[in-house]
Amino acid sequence: MAGRQIVAKGFGQFDPANYHLKAELSTTAPGTYNKLFIVIKTRSQYVTPFAFYRKHLSENSVYTPAYDVRAYLKWPVNAGIESILRKSTTINILINAEHTPDTVITNIDMKNITSTITKRAVTSRICYATYKNINLTISATHSILRTNKLTISTDKSRLQPYLNYTFSHTKGSFQVTDIGKILLAFQLYWISHFDNTHCFIQSVDLNGIATLHLANPFLEAVSPTKYRPSISLQDSMKPLTLIKMTHFFINPNRQKALGSYSKIGLAFTRIIDYRFHTNSNVFHMNIANLIFALQSFAEGIAENELKKQHRKSKNEIIKSIEKAIQLIQFSGDINDNVKKFYNKPTNTVYHLLTRPTFNQSLNIALEKLGIRIENHKTMLKVIQKARQQVVHSEGYDVEFLLSILTSTVSQIEIGEKDPKTKFVRIDGQLEKLYILLREMIIRYFDNYGN
């Protein structure tokens, strides 16, 4: 399905327990499509993995996708297959919370069942924020979980409290793709302000049109324990930060500096991936995730700052570049290969000339965010060395890379074949880099839009 057109038909199955999809589809409308939905119809529901695919479908071809998915969308068959494409005014994220006692008294008689609950448990708005026509309301709500068989008596049931995050548009509406963007914003929000608190996402709902089901609905605390503390009403909810993050990822005006595909957006998605998704078996790739995040984050901020600084001098620099290229081309003392190397469009040379190095980007970014680089110099020196190995592939020094890890790593995973090899635990610089990135995120959104 692409847009409102069905471009291939067939059969398939989706295993909701293991989040695995398998299908066999025959092309009905050949062509190249930027966005494809694969929808499976059951007796009562439509199901689709929450992902888009760029695909060329040849005439009379058969497409056989088979893969694991992180999330899927579900909506009723009687709503129609196209209902998923309808725009919505609200999106809701419901999470477990702590804001009431854990019991509710239920009275059962011959005619009806009545429950007496604590007044704080009823739905009530806690806080509200708005930013550029996107609104957020956070409210307390609950459900009653009855575990015993109902008899004519007084029965104690369990009260499950929740927090409901409702996102709405003042002058527009949400598309189905916005669910994923809001979920990214929510994960980044959790990293920034509730990293030591456990979160269970009960549901994600597109205003009754469809619900999103996650393979892993848990946002584990950074140091998970057997006791999992949930967010409480006593906590500061930071609604303005969350709505700014939502605006960043939705990027309604399609600005190059915003959105998940911008440099800063790529940094955010790498941090989220490092924090909540399964780590790579290739241990140095976990290091690379955070190092790439730091590089993208710093470059994104620095390039925006330098653009402002170079606005007045851009024409002067371009004229100088044009003059330099002409001198090189007309000089008889310069090798032809050197001339060819410098024979580039003026704008290309300008961007290469004004692009900052990694260290320049980092200095500009931290100064812009009001973070003292002196407090992080030792760690950044180590990370720079790791960056040269991991990012630029200058050869891996395994002992050095191990020294900056924050988690237990088996030497077997990095090439040792001796099954008696013990686990090595080294708490090093990577945790400090993660802490710096969290601080950068918070400072960035404190100044967002200024």
Side-chain angles (χ1 to χ4, degrees):
M1 185 175 174
R4 297 183 179 275
Q5 180 185 12
I6 295 175
V7 298
K9 288 184 177 182
F11 58 89
Q13 62 183 38
F14 179 71
D15 179 357
N18 298 309
Y19 281 70
H20 185 78
L21 177 140
K22 187 189 296 183
E24 185 172 312
L25 305 166
S26 299
T27 303
T28 57
T32 300
Y33 300 96
N34 288 326
K35 290 183 179 179
L36 282 175
F37 257 140
I38 298 173
V39 182
I40 293 177
K41 182 181 179 182
T42 67
R43 287 184 179 179
S44 59
Q45 305 279 348
Y46 285 114
V47 177
T48 180
F50 189 60
F52 291 105
Y53 313 91
R54 178 178 172 80
K55 184 73 178 173
H56 175 75
L57 299 176
S58 304
E59 193 169 359
N60 300 321
S61 65
V62 176
Y63 177 39
T64 56
Y67 47 82
D68 296 323
V69 298
R70 286 183 176 178
Y72 68 92
L73 287 162
K74 189 167 73 172
W75 68 101
V77 166
N78 58 18
I81 192 170
E82 292 185 0
S83 67
I84 193 66
L85 302 175
R86 288 190 350 235
K87 294 182 178 181
S88 168
T89 53
T90 61
I91 288 176
N92 293 284
I93 296 178
L94 190 70
I95 68 168
N96 284 14
E98 293 176 352
H99 56 81
T100 56
D102 198 38
T103 57
V104 56
I105 303 300
T106 302
N107 297 306
I108 304 166
D109 57 32
M110 295 295 292
K111 293 184 178 180
N112 56 28
I113 300 172
T114 58
S115 297
T116 306
I117 62 176
T118 307
K119 286 185 178 180
R120 288 181 63 199
V122 293
T123 302
S124 59
R125 190 171 93 168
I126 298 169
C127 53
Y128 173 86
T130 185
Y131 183 82
K132 294 190 176 179
N133 301 319
I134 301 176
N135 312 310
L136 170 65
T137 301
I138 303 176
S139 54
T141 185
H142 70 280
S143 66
I144 298 171
L145 304 179
R146 295 187 176 93
T147 54
N148 301 344
K149 291 182 179 179
L150 296 179
T151 57
I152 301 176
S153 64
T154 298
D155 180 56
K156 282 190 175 181
S157 300
R158 189 160 67 88
L159 190 70
Q160 177 59 63
Y162 303 107
L163 283 181
N164 190 26
Y165 293 77
T166 300
F167 301 83
S168 60
H169 252 302
T170 304
K171 294 184 178 178
S173 54
F174 295 115
Q175 301 179 41
V176 65
T177 52
D178 291 332
I179 294 181
K181 296 170 185 176
I182 288 176
L183 199 56
L184 280 174
F186 189 82
Q187 290 172 320
L188 194 67
Y189 158 78
W190 207 262
I191 286 171
S192 303
H193 297 292
F194 304 102
D195 213 27
N196 292 308
T197 305
H198 179 75
C199 177
F200 177 74
I201 299 176
Q202 186 73 24
S203 66
V204 183
D205 179 75
L206 184 65
N207 196 28
I209 295 172
T211 54
L212 181 70
H213 298 258
L214 303 170
N216 182 13
F218 294 97
L219 303 182
E220 296 279 2
V222 71
S223 301
T225 60
K226 289 183 180 178
Y227 172 69
R228 292 176 163 179
S230 297
I231 192 170
S232 168
L233 287 191
Q234 276 77 40
D235 296 319
S236 175
M237 299 299 168
K238 307 287 184 182
L240 186 58
T241 301
L242 177 53
I243 206 64
K244 284 180 177 181
M245 289 175 172
T246 302
H247 180 272
F248 176 92
F249 280 106
I250 289 179
N251 190 15
N253 297 324
R254 303 293 182 264
Q255 297 177 54
K256 287 184 179 179
L258 307 182
S260 58
Y261 293 107
S262 66
K263 283 195 172 182
I264 295 175
L266 286 172
F268 293 158
T269 53
R270 281 188 177 276
I271 295 165
I272 291 167
D273 197 60
Y274 169 85
R275 179 65 179 80
F276 293 126
H277 298 148
T278 306
N279 285 343
S280 170
N281 290 328
V282 185
F283 83 100
H284 57 75
M285 291 308 295
N286 301 321
I287 299 172
N289 242 350
L290 284 195
I291 294 174
F292 273 123
L294 179 66
Q295 181 170 318
S296 296
F297 204 164
E299 285 181 358
I301 293 173
E303 286 175 11
N304 289 336
E305 287 302 298
L306 289 174
K307 274 181 189 174
K308 296 174 188 175
Q309 293 175 22
H310 290 154
R311 243 173 231 157
K312 293 179 180 178
S313 59
K314 183 176 180 179
N315 290 336
E316 185 181 334
I317 294 171
I318 285 176
K319 284 178 183 177
S320 297
I321 292 169
E322 289 171 346
K323 190 181 290 186
I325 291 172
Q326 284 178 357
L327 288 171
I328 291 168
Q329 295 306 317
F330 291 125
S331 174
D333 300 331
I334 298 176
N335 184 282
D336 287 343
N337 288 331
V338 176
K339 287 182 179 181
K340 188 181 287 186
F341 178 82
Y342 284 101
N343 189 24
K344 291 181 172 69
T346 306
N347 281 335
T348 302
V349 177
Y350 174 79
H351 288 301
L352 290 171
L353 187 68
T354 56
R355 182 179 177 179
T357 64
F358 171 69
N359 285 331
Q360 287 173 329
S361 297
L362 198 54
N363 276 283
I364 293 168
L366 293 182
E367 185 180 347
K368 170 69 176 174
L369 297 174
I371 298 172
R372 292 175 60 84
I373 196 168
E374 292 79 11
N375 298 337
H376 305 279
K377 266 194 170 179
T378 303
M379 177 270 290
L380 290 172
K381 188 176 179 180
V382 175
I383 292 302
Q384 172 69 319
K385 185 177 176 182
R387 176 178 166 272
Q388 289 167 352
Q389 292 186 30
V390 176
V391 179
H392 296 299
S393 301
E394 294 184 4
Y396 297 127
D397 178 345
V398 170
E399 289 185 7
F400 169 73
L401 292 179
L402 271 173
S403 73
I404 69 170
L405 283 175
T406 59
S407 57
T408 301
V409 177
S410 168
Q411 290 181 358
I412 295 170
E413 290 180 29
I414 59 173
E416 292 286 348
K417 295 181 180 179
D418 182 3
K420 295 179 182 178
T421 302
K422 294 180 180 179
F423 282 85
V424 179
R425 176 177 288 279
I426 301 178
D427 295 318
Q429 303 298 328
L430 203 65
E431 182 181 5
K432 294 177 183 176
L433 173 58
Y434 176 71
I435 291 168
L436 171 61
L437 286 165
R438 280 188 67 226
E439 186 180 0
M440 289 173 71
I441 293 167
I442 293 167
R443 297 286 186 96
Y444 177 81
F445 283 103
D446 283 346
N447 298 319
Y448 185 78
N450 295 342

